């Protein structure tokens, strides 16, 4: 469990850190920019996101989340912030009409009213800290899975009348498996850091699954919707004091897409009892009661909108997302770890093996899991 109300994790920043300035100077620069007094300033990492650098900036009374955006992954951070703010504004209107009950993650302007600031060449933003909350990397119970899926369902339902064509494609073809496969093939052929020899079995395994892309490309009558596109379990916050959801966060990849992908990413990150980078592959299995809870939790808020074809497509999402994220981890491993944050050289390979183990187990239990979707 990752408590974000009172963060007391030791910092992983070195005193003279990669920010080109000391940690204290960075904290002071951020505080000055976002209007916090620098009395008793503390700056500590929170969460376990793979892309941005997320920290809690605190003084005696106030706390804000500050985030250094990863501009390799998001080359146009202005557009990213603009997208997230459009969604934020839509959700605020929904909340005013009692059509959205979760807390809304909100950007904070700096002293000049800007939402993105430059500190030593890095792009930083500030977000309202959502207190009384915690995030999870591994789901502990079916109840928790249902709460999470219901929150993502409420989010999707609140956005179903949002014009997602207004959103800039911050990462084009984000969930386009055909394109992901093309990139994978390029990297395997280029073998830029000589790692292909160390993962030949995984490469062969991937090649056997490429038919999934044809299945995805052949979908008919499945609507394109405003999607979150990163519904992993630690992208929502639970309430510390009650068995309920607090907020859906990490709106960076909100773009038009299929709900099947959002469902599939929940399956990917909730169903296994092991973390995404666990090496205990024999324990990486799909927990059926969690899958059932996800179906229940996600479908309820979507019931007024979802079509039969769309619901039927969720099974494809449950298979595609673990496979596709596994493929992306393997691609990044072969490429020399340029995309996902890693803690050791084989980290991405370990993650890929883990995701493929989950994908295999999901496929093994097709009849039972599909039945849960069909009996809804
Ligand atoms: P990344 O894009 O790197 O995944 P996230 O936006 O998901 O970054 O943030 C990483 C983690 O930081 C989250 O999983 C959550 O634990 C914590 N977090 C992020 N924003 C907030 C917030 N506004 N309030 C409280 N906790 C937050
Ligand atoms: C990244 O940012 P984070 O950690 O919430 C990634 C997702 C992957 C996920 C795998 C922008 O999500 O697509 O599914 O890691 N985000 C981006 O854990 O690529
Ligand atoms: Mg995240």
């Amino acid at each position: 469990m990752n408590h974000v109300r009172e963060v007391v994790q030791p910092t992983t920043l070195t005193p003279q850190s990669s920010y080109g300035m000391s940690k204290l100077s960075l904290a002071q620069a951020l505080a000055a920019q976002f209007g916090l007094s620098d009395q008793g300033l503390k700056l500590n990492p929170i969460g376990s996101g793979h892309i941005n650098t997320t920290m809690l900036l605190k003084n005696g009374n106030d706390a804000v989340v500050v985030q250094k955006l990863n501009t390799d992954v998001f080359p146009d951070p202005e557009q990213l912030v603009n997208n997230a703010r459009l969604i934020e504004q839509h959700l605020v209107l929904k909340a005013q009409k009692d059509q959205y009950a979760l807390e809304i993650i909100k950007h904070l302007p700096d002293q000049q009213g800007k939402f993105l600031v430059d500190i030593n060449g890095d792009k930083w933003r500030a977000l309202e800290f959502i207190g009384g909350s915690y995030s999870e990397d591994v789901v502990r119970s079916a109840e928790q899975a249902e709460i999470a899926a219901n929150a993502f369902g409420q989010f999707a339902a609140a956005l179903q009348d949002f014009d997602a064509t207004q959103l800039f494609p911050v990462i084009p073809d984000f969930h386009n498996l055909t394109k992901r496969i093309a990139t994978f093939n390029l990297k395997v052929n280029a073998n830029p850091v000589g790692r292909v020899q160390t993962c030949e079995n995984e490469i062969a395994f991937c090649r056997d699954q490429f038919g999934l892309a044809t299945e995805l490309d052949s979908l008919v009558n499945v609507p394109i919707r405003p999607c979150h596109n990163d519904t992993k379990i630690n992208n929502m916050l639970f309430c510390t004091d009650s068995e309920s959801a607090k907020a859906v966060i990490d709106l960076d990849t909100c773009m038009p897409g299929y709900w099947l992908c959002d469902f599939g990413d929940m399956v990917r990150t909730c169903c296994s009892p092991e973390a995404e980078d666990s090496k205990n592959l024999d324990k990486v299995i799909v927990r059926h009661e969690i899958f059932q809870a996800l179906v229940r939790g996600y479908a309820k808020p979507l019931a007024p909108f979802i079509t039969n074809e769309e619901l039927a497509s969720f099974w494809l999402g449950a298979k595609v997302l673990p496979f596709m994220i596994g493929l992306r981890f393997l691609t990044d491993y072969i490429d020399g770890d340029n995309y996902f944050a890693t803690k050791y050289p084989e980290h991405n390979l370990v993650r890929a093996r883990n995701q493929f183990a989950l994908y295999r187990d999901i496929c093994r239990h097709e009849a039972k899991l599909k039945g849960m979707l069909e009996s809804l």
Side-chain angles (χ1 to χ4, degrees):
M1 195 191 302
N2 173 22
H3 277 276
V4 290
R5 188 166 58 171
E6 279 302 322
V7 180
V8 285
Q9 296 164 346
T11 176
T12 55
L13 283 181
T14 53
Q16 193 65 44
S17 70
S18 56
Y19 304 97
M21 61 205 305
S22 73
K23 190 182 159 197
L24 181 62
S25 308
L26 174 63
Q28 285 168 336
L30 286 163
Q33 198 88 41
F34 291 106
L36 258 75
S37 91
D38 63 4
Q39 291 293 306
L41 266 190
K42 285 187 192 146
L43 181 65
N44 282 307
I46 51 171
S48 46
H50 294 341
I51 305 295
N52 298 314
T53 304
T54 310
M55 310 185 85
L56 190 64
L57 180 65
K58 277 177 93 171
N59 63 15
N61 311 313
D62 299 316
V64 295
V65 171
V66 284
Q67 216 167 34
K68 179 167 79 97
L69 297 178
N70 181 333
T71 49
D72 293 328
V73 169
F74 299 114
D76 200 335
E78 296 278 353
Q79 294 284 13
L80 176 145
V81 169
N82 193 48
N83 280 358
R85 294 202 61 244
L86 285 171
I87 292 165
E88 185 184 307
Q89 285 152 10
H90 180 86
L91 293 177
V92 167
L93 290 177
K94 287 278 170 179
Q96 284 164 358
K97 291 188 264 178
D98 289 331
Q99 290 169 1
Y100 190 64
L102 299 174
E103 284 198 31
I104 299 164
I105 184 152
K106 293 192 185 122
H107 285 72
L108 296 169
D110 78 345
Q111 305 278 62
Q112 280 81 47
K114 287 187 289 146
F115 290 95
L116 193 62
V117 304
D118 198 302
I119 297 178
N120 254 5
D122 291 326
K123 300 290 182 193
W124 288 85
R125 68 172 165 193
L127 299 160
E128 247 177 52
F129 172 60
I130 301 177
S133 68
Y134 66 94
S135 59
E136 291 281 17
D137 290 325
V138 177
V139 163
R140 284 174 295 123
S141 65
E143 290 71 29
Q144 222 180 22
E146 187 165 346
I147 290 167
N150 190 267
F152 283 121
Q154 290 180 56
F155 179 86
L159 284 191
Q160 61 79 37
D161 59 348
F162 173 78
D163 175 13
T165 59
Q166 298 173 77
L167 299 175
F168 181 84
V170 280
I171 306 181
D173 295 311
F174 191 57
H175 282 151
N176 183 331
L177 185 55
T178 302
K179 292 261 171 71
R180 296 285 181 190
I181 289 171
T183 307
F184 168 78
N185 283 333
L186 277 177
K187 298 295 177 188
V188 172
N189 291 337
N191 194 10
V193 291
R195 284 180 171 175
V196 159
Q197 309 65 305
T198 64
C199 54
E200 275 164 354
N201 289 342
E202 289 77 12
I203 292 171
F205 172 78
C206 284
R207 290 195 163 133
D208 286 344
Q209 319 307 317
F210 285 174
L212 280 175
T214 317
E215 281 188 64
L216 205 52
D217 290 344
S218 320
L219 282 174
V220 279
N221 285 336
V222 178
I224 304 284
R225 309 263 197 189
C227 283
H228 184 284
N229 286 318
D230 194 2
T231 53
K232 75 194 255 192
I233 183 65
N234 65 22
N235 285 331
M236 57 89 46
L237 300 175
F238 293 93
C239 281
T240 312
D241 302 330
S242 65
E243 297 283 294
S244 60
K246 192 93 176 175
V248 168
I249 62 167
D250 198 347
L251 310 186
D252 300 341
T253 48
C254 287
M255 286 177 286
Y258 292 131
W259 276 349
L260 71 95
C261 291
D262 281 356
F263 176 73
D265 215 6
M266 283 182 250
V267 170
R268 179 183 85 77
T269 60
C270 295
C271 284
S272 168
E274 291 286 304
E276 181 186 74
D277 59 355
S278 159
K279 296 180 187 169
N280 295 327
L281 296 189
D282 49 345
K283 295 203 183 129
V284 176
I285 51 156
V286 53
R287 289 177 288 178
H288 294 193
E289 72 286 7
I290 302 273
F291 189 96
Q292 178 79 71
L294 293 177
V295 174
R296 250 194 331 264
Y298 194 48
K300 201 167 172 197
L302 301 187
F305 317 107
I306 196 162
T307 66
N308 291 338
E309 288 89 348
E310 204 165 22
L311 187 59
S313 76
F314 280 15
W315 169 245
L316 184 57
K319 288 190 296 180
V320 163
L321 266 287
F323 174 70
M324 181 159 58
I325 311 295
L327 183 79
R328 288 176 58 199
F329 286 140
L330 186 60
T331 306
D332 198 33
Y333 170 72
I334 292 168
D335 196 37
D337 307 323
N338 294 312
Y339 189 96
F340 297 104
T342 52
K343 295 193 174 133
Y344 54 94
E346 297 79 33
H347 203 168
N348 271 318
L349 179 58
V350 165
R351 289 172 175 148
R353 287 181 177 143
N354 174 304
Q355 298 296 285
F356 297 149
L358 180 63
Y359 165 74
R360 278 198 191 94
D361 199 55
I362 289 171
C363 293
R364 219 174 276 137
H365 294 99
E366 170 163 358
K368 176 112 183 265
L369 301 174
K370 235 175 151 177
M372 293 179 193
L373 283 164
E374 281 159 4
S375 62
L376 200 69

